Amino acid sequence: MRQCDPQELVHVSGNVYCTKTHDSLRISNGKWCWFSRGIGGASALDYLIKVNGYSFLEAMETISGRAAAMPPISMPPAEKPRTKTLLLPERSPTHDRVIAYLTGRGIDREILDYCIQTGRLYESLPHHNAVFLGFDTQGKARFGCQRGTGKARFHGDLNGSDKRFGFSLTGDSQSLHLFEAPIDALSYATLCKMNGVHWREQNLLSLAGVYRPSQKGPPRLPLALEHFLGEHPQVKNVLLHLDNDLPGKQAAQAILSALPENVQGENRPPSFGKDVNDTLCHRLGAARQQAVKGWER
């Protein structure tokens, strides 16, 4: 592309590029993927055939002819992105307060133990906050947010967080369930377990807060969702479980309109209350009341 069609190449970030003609076509690490069409490849030959519509012979002649006739076109090196350094709070030797707080909100203990064992969740010092982490493909923590476990409603992202790597639980499903907060994702996993659904097979992703689409230009996907779809091309359905309020409804509408053509979207707001945790707590409360009535009989 640099040698033969440099005016078409647009730098996105890091070593990721797109084209002026197709902004959903991404090129990185020697590979390209056209997300809106669900196709990709790893060579110039693939690109010319699948994107430009060349025949095999036309593509071969174009590549061999240009390689022989054209000198390389020099381009300034891409600016190296600044690497964010995630600042992690000190870890507590125990997770007692975090477990007490989250089980108090109805989240299943098995799911919490799994998150702690895999490093997705820990208790911080000195404030004993719940810290939720998101990782890259090499298993390095790149995003973090914390939630207070006391009476104060404290929550926020850690310094140096990269919004592309949200807190997530990943499985083999072709569907992705999207939430505003990690607690909602864990609440949904608990509801799956209560319904007899294998929660470990689900793809659950948190956006770490409400997504506010830009008022300028067409809506774009949240960074965490765009990155997840790029890393998990098997996902063909996105189900939105955002908050049952005006910002949540606006975010759901924007996300659904920005999804690639090869990915189906569906809005599934909480069936009770403001968020998925409200739905879980309501269901657990109803179950406890029913159990008490059964015991009294």
Side-chain angles (χ1 to χ4, degrees):
M1 291 290 290
R2 285 187 177 128
Q3 290 181 353
C4 303
D5 209 1
Q7 69 278 1
E8 184 69 8
L9 200 60
V10 178
H11 182 229
V12 177
S13 64
N15 63 345
V16 180
Y17 295 81
C18 70
T19 67
K20 287 184 179 179
T21 305
H22 310 293
D23 62 0
S24 67
L25 193 155
R26 299 302 169 96
I27 305 169
S28 65
N29 299 320
K31 299 179 181 179
W32 63 269
C33 182
W34 196 354
F35 288 104
S36 64
R37 298 290 180 86
I39 59 175
S43 70
L45 191 67
D46 288 334
Y47 183 91
L48 291 174
I49 293 173
K50 295 178 181 178
V51 178
N52 290 356
Y54 286 19
S55 69
F56 177 80
L57 289 177
E58 288 172 335
M60 286 295 296
E61 290 173 356
T62 299
I63 294 171
S64 60
R66 286 184 174 178
M70 294 182 62
I73 298 175
S74 61
M75 290 185 66
E79 181 182 351
K80 292 185 178 180
R82 292 190 303 172
T83 303
K84 293 184 177 180
T85 301
L86 181 63
L87 302 179
L88 297 176
E90 182 181 353
R91 294 174 181 263
S92 170
T94 66
H95 303 87
D96 298 342
R97 292 199 192 182
V98 164
I99 291 173
Y101 171 73
L102 294 175
T103 53
R105 297 192 61 166
I107 298 172
D108 185 83
R109 177 63 186 269
E110 177 196 5
I111 296 172
L112 293 179
D113 287 342
Y114 171 79
C115 291
I116 292 171
Q117 292 166 6
T118 56
R120 290 174 166 86
L121 171 65
Y122 75 90
E123 183 174 319
S124 70
L125 290 176
H127 302 295
H128 300 279
N129 294 325
V131 179
F132 302 91
L133 298 179
F135 300 88
D136 61 19
T137 54
Q138 285 73 43
K140 181 180 179 180
R142 301 287 300 277
F143 172 85
C145 62
Q146 51 188 341
R147 181 84 186 207
T149 57
K151 294 182 180 179
R153 290 177 56 84
F154 169 77
H155 60 87
D157 294 350
L158 299 180
N159 289 333
S161 287
D162 189 331
K163 288 283 191 180
R164 294 175 298 167
F165 303 90
F167 173 87
S168 66
L169 300 176
T170 55
D172 298 326
S173 173
Q174 291 187 345
S175 296
L176 169 65
H177 298 270
L178 195 66
F179 309 88
E180 288 187 15
I183 289 178
D184 291 325
L186 297 177
S187 298
Y188 186 84
T190 301
L191 287 168
C192 286
K193 184 177 178 180
M194 293 171 65
N195 293 333
V197 177
H198 295 294
W199 61 271
R200 287 282 301 275
E201 297 178 0
Q202 309 304 309
N203 291 308
L204 313 178
L205 174 65
S206 162
L207 298 178
V210 63
Y211 168 65
R212 292 182 172 83
S214 173
Q215 301 300 317
K216 299 179 180 179
R220 301 192 62 172
L221 294 179
L223 291 176
L225 176 56
E226 181 180 35
H227 184 78
F228 192 96
L229 292 176
E231 294 289 336
H232 302 82
Q234 82 279 4
V235 171
K236 302 301 179 185
N237 302 287
V238 175
L239 300 101
L240 310 182
H241 307 274
L242 307 183
D243 284 6
N244 229 342
D245 55 14
L246 181 59
K249 293 175 182 178
Q250 291 175 339
Q253 183 179 9
I255 291 171
L256 289 175
S257 65
L259 285 172
E261 294 179 1
N262 64 318
V263 177
Q264 299 296 316
E266 183 178 345
N267 190 22
R268 291 189 181 180
S271 58
F272 179 88
K274 178 177 179 289
D275 54 33
V276 182
N277 186 247
D278 283 346
T279 301
L280 171 62
C281 292
H282 175 72
R283 178 167 173 181
L284 288 172
R288 291 191 186 104
Q289 290 177 0
Q290 188 173 6
V292 169
K293 290 179 179 179
W295 177 80
E296 289 173 347
R297 288 196 294 267

